[in-house]
Amino acid sequence: MRLSNAAMGRGLMVLSIGTRFGVLVLICLLALWTEYLNLKVGYGNARLVELSAGWGMRLFYEASDAFFSFFGDAVVVAQKNAGMTWSIRVGGVPFTDPVALLSVLLQGRVPELGFALGVLLPLLLAAFLGRVFCAYVCPASLLFFAIARVRRLLGSFFYFFDLKVGQSMAWGVLCGSLAVVLYWGHGVWTLILPYFAMGQTIFHSIALGALSVSVYSLVVFTILDLCLGLQFTCRYVCPTGRLLGWVGHRARVVVRREATRCVQQCTACADICPLAVSPKLDQTRDCSLCGECLVACPTQCLSIGRKSK
Amino acid sequence: MKRRGFIRSFLVGGLVAALLPLVDWLPQRFRSRRYLRPPGAREEEDFLAACIRCGQCANVCPNKCISLAGLEDGLENLGTPKIVARARACILCMACTQVCPTGALAKLAPTEEGVAAVDMGVAFVITDLCYSYAGRTCGACYHACPLPGKALKVGLFERPTIDADHCVGCGLCEQACIHMPQAIRVMSRAELEART
């Protein structure tokens, strides 16, 4: 039995929310593992951890200890995981944001091998599946997803401004930031990249017990999304999303439309798409395979599959 | 017409990004550099160009001595790792140098040679404040030093003297000093030269 297109879309949406939550949890865990390492090296004893940090920390300590000990020396294994999304290391494997590599190359530095190879997986993923990073990995897009829901829920009671500017605005942000990086260093990315701001804020608040300045960035992005336009940040500001969208403009797996079943006056898919893609016009550049249009389509003429030539 | 819109949006985006450094003008910043870089850090300018602010060093630090700079240290230092020795000093476990993805921290082993290669800064004693120099035997810094007898030597009444050639600048002496304010301080070699 084949799944109906709407059911598939719903499944994809659930999956995308799940994986993004997974990434969010991973970031929180990475920050918490700093505390774990501290307790492990300092005390190395669950009872002492409970006395100094409480039973909650003891539970976390024992769970982490059992988890890491499974793979070998707990401290060594734990130190193989680190980072805040834009350059992250999981199980010793580095993942790098292409923007980070660009930024380092621009400073005239030869990047380390592991750092440079870290962009391979994100780029390959983007080349084959398109902008899936935005719907399945980016923890900040969870925030923007929620804001889009709020806008839709309250849309029948209030008027929301919906500004549409060109996608080239994100290219402008990318180039402008690279120019700023030349003089002020890579630190500006913590304020510009939404998911880096998210990671920085989470890491600061959990591991360092302080509020990072990047929280102001998140506030600005939230205001942009609420007051300026639907999914404004993802569509027109985020440089990483723009870059991955460009890499994936010939993605193999896209949203397909059965033209015979499509209703002529209907624009449900274009209205709901978070990334300003229009499956209606068969423009699938920037598609993140989030599955929202599959659910919205009244005749279920949209499906996800290999691109037809 | 379409190209015009493209260029306009592009310029708006570029302008927004270019205006971002205005946050550097936020008032009430203090820039007296009273912090150290993690072990293995390159020369300051080189370090700032290489460090991508990923925070992995702070994440693996078992001593939790590495924190990440905020805007109070200026936009160019935003998100870079720093160690405030008086709050918590480096134990030279070298975990941060192993994970740094961009080589901003050179890889060092937690061995004797690895420790000798560290150059975070150099300690210096403010003899006016030090208890031992006032005739009250203390020696707290000597007992904290990871290279006792080499980097930090003691004389009569446990008066500390620093051997700048051997001192790696981990800051454990500054953390341990029982005088308030601390009578022994660690700062980068360049800064110490500028001040003396």
Side-chain angles (χ1 to χ4, degrees):
Chain A
M1 196 190 97
R2 278 198 75 234
L3 275 173
S4 75
N5 287 337
M8 186 168 172
R10 218 163 278 133
L12 281 175
M13 277 174 72
V14 170
L15 179 70
S16 71
I17 294 173
T19 50
R20 276 180 290 181
F21 251 112
V23 173
L24 199 64
V25 169
L26 177 70
I27 295 173
C28 294
L29 272 181
L30 283 171
L32 267 171
W33 280 335
T34 307
E35 190 66 39
Y36 158 74
L37 270 174
N38 191 228
L39 294 168
K40 174 77 180 170
V41 172
Y43 299 129
N45 178 315
R47 176 72 185 136
L48 285 178
V49 170
E50 186 183 344
L51 286 174
S52 82
W55 61 269
M57 205 61 215
R58 176 183 179 156
L59 279 181
F60 178 72
Y61 173 86
E62 284 181 324
S64 308
D65 213 31
F67 177 67
F68 289 130
S69 302
F70 181 76
F71 299 100
D73 184 3
V75 173
V76 174
V77 177
Q79 283 173 338
K80 288 196 160 115
N81 308 288
M84 306 177 284
T85 53
W86 101 315
S87 172
I88 199 167
R89 189 181 295 259
V90 181
V93 183
F95 298 100
T96 312
D97 182 345
V99 174
L101 188 64
L102 265 185
S103 189
V104 166
L105 286 174
L106 194 77
Q107 292 272 21
R109 292 191 59 85
V110 181
E112 302 265 306
L113 189 64
F115 181 70
L117 289 180
V119 299
L120 273 184
L121 190 81
L123 285 185
L124 282 178
L125 210 61
F128 281 102
L129 300 175
R131 223 174 132 170
V132 281
F133 171 86
C134 301
Y136 292 88
V137 182
C138 179
S141 83
L142 216 48
L143 173 71
F144 305 131
F145 179 85
I147 294 171
R149 293 278 130 167
V150 169
R151 279 178 71 112
R152 209 163 293 147
L153 271 177
L154 300 180
S156 44
F157 308 110
F158 302 100
Y159 172 72
F160 282 104
F161 201 61
D162 193 7
L163 181 71
K164 285 186 169 58
V165 295
Q167 295 183 338
S168 57
M169 186 167 155
W171 284 120
V173 172
L174 178 63
C175 295
S177 322
L178 284 172
V180 170
V181 161
L182 269 181
Y183 193 82
W184 277 278
H186 309 291
V188 288
W189 292 117
T190 62
L191 302 175
I192 292 169
L193 291 177
Y195 71 101
F196 193 16
M198 190 104 174
Q200 186 94 357
T201 308
I202 291 174
F203 183 79
H204 270 248
S205 44
I206 293 181
L208 306 180
L211 201 57
S212 166
V213 279
S214 47
V215 77
Y216 292 114
S217 283
L218 289 180
V219 170
V220 169
F221 293 139
T222 305
I223 293 173
L224 284 182
D225 265 38
L226 263 181
C227 306
L228 213 54
L230 182 70
Q231 296 269 346
F232 194 85
T233 313
C234 300
R235 286 177 179 180
Y236 309 121
V237 177
C238 180
T240 298
R242 187 78 270 120
L243 199 65
L244 291 176
W246 176 71
V247 170
H249 73 283
R250 281 192 195 156
R252 295 297 172 78
V253 182
V254 290
V255 167
R256 289 187 310 182
R257 184 179 63 111
E258 258 181 76
T260 48
R261 271 157 70 190
C262 188
V263 183
Q264 210 161 28
Q265 280 84 23
C266 164
T267 55
C269 50
D271 290 340
I272 205 162
C273 180
L275 294 174
V277 174
S278 181
K280 169 106 185 153
L281 307 171
D282 288 324
Q283 287 174 351
T284 51
R285 187 175 171 158
D286 270 357
C287 176
S288 65
L289 304 182
C290 66
E292 293 222 37
C293 53
L294 271 63
V295 181
C297 182
T299 60
Q300 301 205 5
C301 71
L302 297 174
S303 64
I304 282 176
R306 293 193 60 174
K307 194 178 199 170
S308 50
K309 285 283 164 186
Chain B
M1 188 59 210
K2 211 179 166 195
R3 180 185 289 170
R4 198 126 153 250
F6 182 91
I7 292 174
R8 199 187 298 146
S9 299
F10 183 86
L11 287 181
V12 167
L15 193 72
V16 168
L19 287 179
L20 200 77
L22 287 179
V23 297
D24 206 24
W25 284 2
L26 287 176
Q28 294 180 351
R29 287 176 299 113
F30 45 93
R31 288 238 177 121
S32 63
R33 248 205 68 187
R34 287 290 297 129
Y35 56 84
L36 307 167
R37 294 294 184 201
R42 300 177 181 283
E43 291 287 313
E44 187 64 12
E45 206 168 300
D46 209 14
F47 175 82
L48 285 177
C51 172
I52 55 157
R53 282 77 166 163
C54 65
Q56 293 190 29
C57 46
N59 212 327
V60 299
C61 180
N63 193 32
K64 281 183 77 177
C65 60
I66 300 180
S67 61
L68 301 175
L71 269 184
E72 76 274 13
D73 295 313
L75 187 58
E76 67 273 18
N77 283 315
L78 180 62
T80 52
K82 64 174 187 177
I83 296 175
V84 180
R86 185 59 163 165
R88 204 176 282 194
C90 175
I91 54 171
L92 300 171
C93 70
M94 309 298 182
C96 50
T97 71
Q98 301 296 328
V99 295
C100 181
T102 58
L105 308 176
K107 283 191 172 42
L108 296 170
T111 56
E112 220 167 284
E113 299 91 70
V115 169
V118 172
D119 188 18
M120 296 161 69
V122 63
F124 91 110
V125 183
I126 305 167
T127 48
D128 296 354
L129 297 178
C130 180
Y131 280 130
S132 292
Y133 278 89
R136 300 172 185 177
T137 305
C138 166
C141 51
Y142 179 74
H143 294 288
C145 183
L147 301 164
K150 262 164 85 183
L152 204 156
K153 299 184 176 105
V154 283
L156 187 65
F157 302 132
E158 309 240 348
R159 282 175 185 168
T161 47
I162 309 293
D163 185 346
D165 295 334
H166 287 110
C167 180
V168 297
C170 66
L172 285 167
C173 51
E174 182 174 345
Q175 187 191 346
C177 181
I178 60 167
H179 196 277
M180 197 73 76
Q182 65 272 39
I184 188 163
R185 288 168 194 234
V186 179
M187 50 182 75
S188 66
R189 276 172 209 274
E191 199 177 340
L192 189 67
E193 265 168 39
R195 288 196 180 196
T196 50

